Amino acid sequence: MALSAPGSTGRGRRCVRRWVGSIPCSFRKEPSVDELQSVRELFGEPAPPSPRVVSQARRRATGGGRRRLPRTRWMVSGVGVGLAAAATAVALVAVDGSAGHGPARSGGAPESARRVLLAAADSSARMPGPAGAPGTSGRQSAFWFTQVRNGERTQVAGKGGAYVVEELSETRDWTNAHGPRRTEAQTKAGRGGTTTHYWAGRRLGARPAEARDQAAWKRDGSPSRWHVGKRDLNTETTAWQVHQEETAFNASFPDGSLEQVGRLPADPDGLRRYLLAHPNANMRNRQDWETDSQYLLNTVGRMLVVEPVSAQVRAAAYRLLAALPDARSAGRVTDPLGRSGVQVSVEGPGPKPGFAPGPGPTPERLESGIVFDPSTGRLLATLNISTGGRSSLPKGALLGWSAVVRTGWVDRAPANATKLPG
């Protein structure tokens, strides 16, 4: 995926900051000024914000920077600028693994998507939600923490033929559990309170994607840099860069405050109606080319990670997906971090030609997928898969992915965060 270095300005920085699921940031369109202005007029004109804040608000109003495979898109918020020391984990779920090239088929005839999704729903209903989350007991910490690894694949031209390079990055987000309760309109208009956000990103460099690509890379002279379109890829890595910003244009979670997340519908029909009725909720931003199935799969894939929803809502989310008529199961696979799970995906239209700049032609159609563990209901990764057509990669090839490394409650914000002007 086309990422700017952590801490840089513009759309790329937002993409580093927020994992969002299954749409690469290079596919996103810029919001119009009129959309933001019309909402502001409903509430009266607040004091003029700085140009930087206006730019941030425009991106957030349409979900820019939250949604990636990518889509995912993740989130960050925090309270208390003076919180010190490194983030102390409380009940973190670690699901790390070595960065692989997946997903790889694990063999065996795949079960139907409906069957495996209903199994995940039943498991989710039996598994307790995160301690302190809505509908659970136990101490609630200050921040909901997520760490996600992202990969985007690009075909490059080599001396001995073309091969695929995978660009890797990683994000961490601290979402404020005590953010203000605001309506969608208030959030987009920058009214109803402010939130302190903490986020971190690092680059893990680019590399040949699979064994056959590594062989082609060696025949190409083992380069450490590649030029693809208007982009330059390289093998360089960066240290974690931690940032802090105060903003009135972002809610704590995509669906608002923790209290609002606790009121999400806990039945599949109600949850489906809610998600379809809120396509432009804070950092959600449904694309105009997405079918209902694409949008719901991508949104649920993100929600199950970035929001500490109750066991009942998680079960409803999987049952919602089980009812999608075009959901297909690929059976057991190995996700990009080497973990075993089941892949379910839907296929639909891709971005229109010329929709946004990117490393290659935009795909005519796009397969969006999730990988999850049916025995626990835990979501492991989201995927973008080529369906051929205009894509430079063949049908069935992995275009990009986001894999969950850790989620859970933490007590403190990160230390030594660089405060961004706002």
Side-chain angles (χ1 to χ4, degrees):
M1 54 187 74
L3 298 178
S4 299
S8 65
T9 59
R11 183 190 309 167
R13 180 177 67 78
R14 293 289 167 205
C15 295
V16 170
R17 174 182 166 215
R18 299 186 181 272
W19 176 87
V20 289
S22 47
I23 302 298
C25 294
S26 58
F27 292 168
R28 306 206 60 77
K29 61 182 177 183
E30 294 293 338
S32 69
V33 177
D34 292 341
E35 292 174 355
L36 181 61
Q37 185 62 32
S38 64
V39 177
R40 282 179 169 167
E41 290 172 357
L42 295 176
F43 295 89
E45 185 65 25
S50 70
R52 180 183 179 84
V53 170
V54 172
S55 177
Q56 292 172 348
R58 288 172 180 166
R59 284 191 297 272
R60 285 180 178 136
T62 61
R66 182 86 173 203
R67 208 158 153 176
R68 78 169 284 150
L69 186 183
R71 222 188 247 223
T72 254
R73 200 222 303 268
W74 310 55
M75 64 306 112
V76 225
S77 332
V79 306
V81 177
L83 290 178
T88 302
V90 177
L92 281 180
V93 177
V95 285
D96 199 1
S98 59
H101 310 305
R105 295 287 180 89
S106 297
E111 294 184 85
S112 71
R114 176 177 174 81
R115 178 174 296 181
V116 293
L117 287 165
L118 289 177
D122 291 341
S123 299
S124 295
R126 294 192 299 268
M127 298 288 290
T136 68
S137 59
R139 182 173 66 85
Q140 177 191 297
S141 298
F143 302 97
W144 178 249
F145 175 80
T146 63
Q147 181 172 339
V148 178
R149 190 171 301 163
N150 307 295
E152 185 179 3
R153 295 188 173 189
T154 303
Q155 184 169 271
V156 299
K159 297 175 183 177
Y163 58 96
V164 178
V165 170
E166 185 170 62
E167 186 179 23
L168 300 174
S169 63
E170 203 162 41
T171 60
R172 290 174 177 168
D173 292 298
W174 292 259
T175 300
N176 177 15
H178 305 290
R181 185 188 189 283
R182 289 181 285 180
T183 64
E184 289 178 27
Q186 284 177 316
T187 297
K188 291 179 181 179
R191 301 183 64 88
T194 62
T195 304
T196 303
H197 287 201
Y198 295 91
W199 59 277
R202 66 172 177 172
R203 287 181 176 277
L204 300 177
R207 65 180 188 186
E210 301 186 19
R212 61 178 176 271
D213 303 305
Q214 187 171 28
W217 168 71
K218 290 180 178 179
R219 291 194 297 271
D220 193 26
S222 303
S224 60
R225 294 182 179 275
W226 302 267
H227 182 72
V228 184
K230 298 180 179 180
R231 296 175 56 209
D232 287 309
L233 307 179
N234 59 68
T235 58
E236 296 174 3
T237 62
T238 63
W240 284 107
Q241 297 183 35
V242 186
H243 302 279
Q244 169 193 334
E245 60 182 347
E246 189 78 17
T247 177
F249 294 94
N250 202 350
S252 292
F253 297 96
D255 290 296
S257 66
L258 187 62
E259 174 194 359
Q260 289 168 299
V261 171
R263 291 205 293 267
L264 286 171
D267 66 283
D269 291 338
L271 186 60
R272 176 189 173 91
R273 287 193 299 269
Y274 170 82
L275 295 176
L276 290 175
H278 296 80
N280 295 311
N282 182 47
M283 299 175 207
R284 182 169 290 144
N285 189 32
R286 178 174 181 172
Q287 302 300 311
D288 56 9
W289 41 268
E290 285 183 302
T291 65
D292 283 354
S293 292
Q294 285 175 300
Y295 165 71
L296 290 169
L297 183 83
N298 290 325
T299 298
V300 165
R302 181 172 63 259
M303 182 182 72
L304 292 176
V305 176
V306 305
E307 297 186 306
V309 298
S310 67
Q312 292 75 23
V313 172
R314 282 190 289 129
Y318 279 116
R319 291 190 176 106
L320 178 165
L321 297 181
L324 297 180
D326 49 351
R328 299 291 182 267
S329 171
R332 281 278 170 185
V333 300
T334 301
D335 86 338
L337 299 189
R339 302 164 299 192
S340 177
V342 171
Q343 178 186 325
V344 168
S345 59
V346 297
E347 182 181 329
K352 298 176 182 178
F355 184 73
T362 55
E364 186 174 0
R365 292 181 65 78
L366 189 67
E367 182 179 342
S368 301
I370 59 174
V371 180
F372 58 95
D373 182 353
S375 66
T376 62
R378 180 176 299 162
L379 189 130
L380 302 176
T382 63
L383 314 169
N384 273 345
I385 301 168
S386 172
T387 59
R390 289 191 303 264
S391 174
S392 59
L393 297 179
K395 180 179 176 64
L398 187 61
L399 297 173
W401 52 269
S402 283
V404 184
V405 178
R406 286 186 296 171
T407 64
W409 292 107
V410 298
D411 285 327
R412 297 181 178 183
N416 304 318
T418 299
K419 191 171 183 178
L420 299 175

